[in-house]
Amino acid sequence: MSGAVVVEAPGRHRLAGHTPREPGPGEALVAVHAVGICGSDREVYQGNRPEGYVRYPLTPGHEWSGTVAQVGPGVPASLVGRKVVGEGFRNCQVCDRCHAGETTLCTAGYEETGFTQPGAMAGTLTLPARLLHVLPDDADLTAAALLEPAACIAAAALKANALPGERVAVVGTGTLGMFAAQFLKAVSPAELLVVGTRGDREALSRRFGASDFRLKDQTLPDDFDVVIETAGSASAARTAASLLRRGGRLVLTGIPAPGADGLDPTDLVVRQLEVHTVFGAPPAAWAHTVRVFGAGLLDPLPLVTHELPLTEFPQAIELVGAGDPKVGKVLLRP
């Protein structure tokens, strides 16, 4: 028996005993190596996640890596012992959106590991084996715990469809912004600009491939082919749109507060901007992420600044929301 974080209700949690659940038909049991914490986990704990997108009591944890320890009937035994990460969305597989590969748009309703289904802040996680993505045998599982947010950005990169030689930009310098820079760098752009609000992120941005870095309040260009927004504010979305040339491609990944002023539709139409949005990652984005990670083109490890045991869950939540520039990605280790 190991431990598990259980959020009973907003603001109330406990460290409970954890007994692994035997995998049923089509399922796998994964020994969790590490689990990341993001702003949505903080929302779960504070109780301000939108209605319908959380179910209490709950073991959180949707960003994770681990090793398959056991499989149920109908699952290849060769999976046992493999290093894996896993998709979070529990799609139905039978609706038209699932058949189209757009599993994050499943019409059967929202179900996701760590929000409405038990998550990875425990010694083990049992889930449908079809959601697993196998990693190379020599993969660093600590780095791999960040592949869920990377997959969300991979979805944005695929929609952006940046071509070699195009001028590309990223708005936002958090974890998602740094992943966006790496995915865009991998397509050999002519120029890669990162725009943010913190000057201390310039060195890391350049490490991940940025050829230019500017603060949001500086003079910015307006002739880029592709821009990915990752900052999660309405003003960041407007900044991202302003960077584009006429006919440029914009991908929004951030979720501003409800009721925020959005983009000017007249500007979008007159400039003929192509706008995409991303919420979560479908299987194609996960497969792309694992492939890029395995090829050594994606380096999540420099983003990790804290690794804590499960018993320090409250401290981890505080770190994520403290606004301290020295805090990057926080991991819990079961």
Side-chain angles (χ1 to χ4, degrees):
M1 180 180 290
S2 56
V5 172
V6 178
V7 178
E8 298 280 7
R12 290 172 41 212
H13 85 283
R14 61 187 173 91
L15 191 66
H18 172 72
T19 300
R21 180 173 71 78
E22 290 285 317
E27 292 185 324
L29 185 151
V30 176
V32 178
H33 173 82
V35 53
I37 296 181
C38 80
S40 55
D41 295 304
R42 185 174 169 85
E43 289 177 350
V44 167
Y45 186 61
Q46 292 180 327
N48 49 14
R49 187 161 172 82
E51 185 178 355
Y53 289 85
V54 65
R55 187 180 301 134
Y56 300 102
L58 173 71
T59 293
H62 61 288
E63 305 177 4
W64 58 270
S65 63
T67 303
V68 177
Q70 187 179 345
V71 296
V75 179
S78 58
L79 267 181
V80 175
R82 299 302 305 271
K83 295 177 179 179
V84 293
V85 289
E87 299 175 33
F89 282 79
R90 304 292 186 95
N91 53 82
C92 74
Q93 293 188 288
V94 296
C95 72
D96 63 338
R97 290 303 86 207
C98 284
H99 282 165
E102 298 174 338
T103 55
T104 59
L105 297 176
C106 177
T107 60
Y110 172 78
E111 294 285 345
E112 186 176 3
T113 300
F115 297 108
T116 63
Q117 298 289 332
M121 291 187 192
T124 67
L125 174 65
T126 302
L127 74 167
R130 62 182 172 80
L131 299 178
L132 298 179
H133 290 261
V134 177
L135 301 170
D137 290 338
D138 61 352
D140 184 326
L141 281 176
T142 300
L146 277 69
L147 292 188
E148 192 277 339
C152 295
I153 293 302
L158 290 172
K159 286 191 175 184
N161 192 30
L163 302 175
E166 287 193 308
R167 302 179 69 233
V168 301
V170 175
V171 175
T173 57
T175 298
L176 298 182
M178 295 300 93
F179 278 135
Q182 293 183 69
F183 276 111
L184 290 175
K185 177 62 178 177
V187 301
S188 301
E191 184 177 350
L192 171 52
L193 168 68
V194 173
V195 177
T197 59
R198 291 172 43 189
D200 62 314
R201 299 294 277 186
E202 179 173 0
L204 192 59
S205 299
R206 292 187 181 277
R207 174 175 178 174
F208 288 142
S211 57
D212 192 9
F213 179 93
R214 306 212 191 167
L215 295 175
K216 190 177 175 183
D217 56 4
Q218 290 181 310
T219 300
L220 299 174
D222 60 0
D223 54 356
F224 277 70
D225 300 293
V226 171
V227 179
I228 296 178
E229 176 275 325
T230 68
S233 70
S235 63
R238 290 191 292 271
T239 296
S242 73
L243 291 168
L244 287 164
R245 62 167 172 80
R246 290 170 58 87
R249 307 189 296 283
L250 171 64
V251 185
L252 305 175
T253 71
I255 304 177
D261 291 334
L263 300 174
D264 180 356
T266 300
D267 180 61
L268 298 180
V269 173
V270 170
R271 295 173 60 211
Q272 300 184 59
L273 299 183
E274 184 179 320
V275 181
H276 298 273
T277 60
V278 167
F279 177 65
W286 274 95
H288 183 55
T289 300
V290 170
R291 184 167 53 248
V292 172
F293 177 65
L297 299 173
L298 193 67
D299 185 11
L301 209 53
L303 300 172
V304 177
T305 58
H306 294 76
E307 296 182 55
L308 305 172
L310 281 182
T311 53
E312 295 189 26
F313 170 74
Q315 295 92 321
I317 290 293
E318 285 187 20
L319 282 169
V320 170
D324 185 342
K326 295 180 181 179
V327 176
K329 199 64 185 179
V330 178
L331 300 183
L332 291 177
R333 299 290 293 271

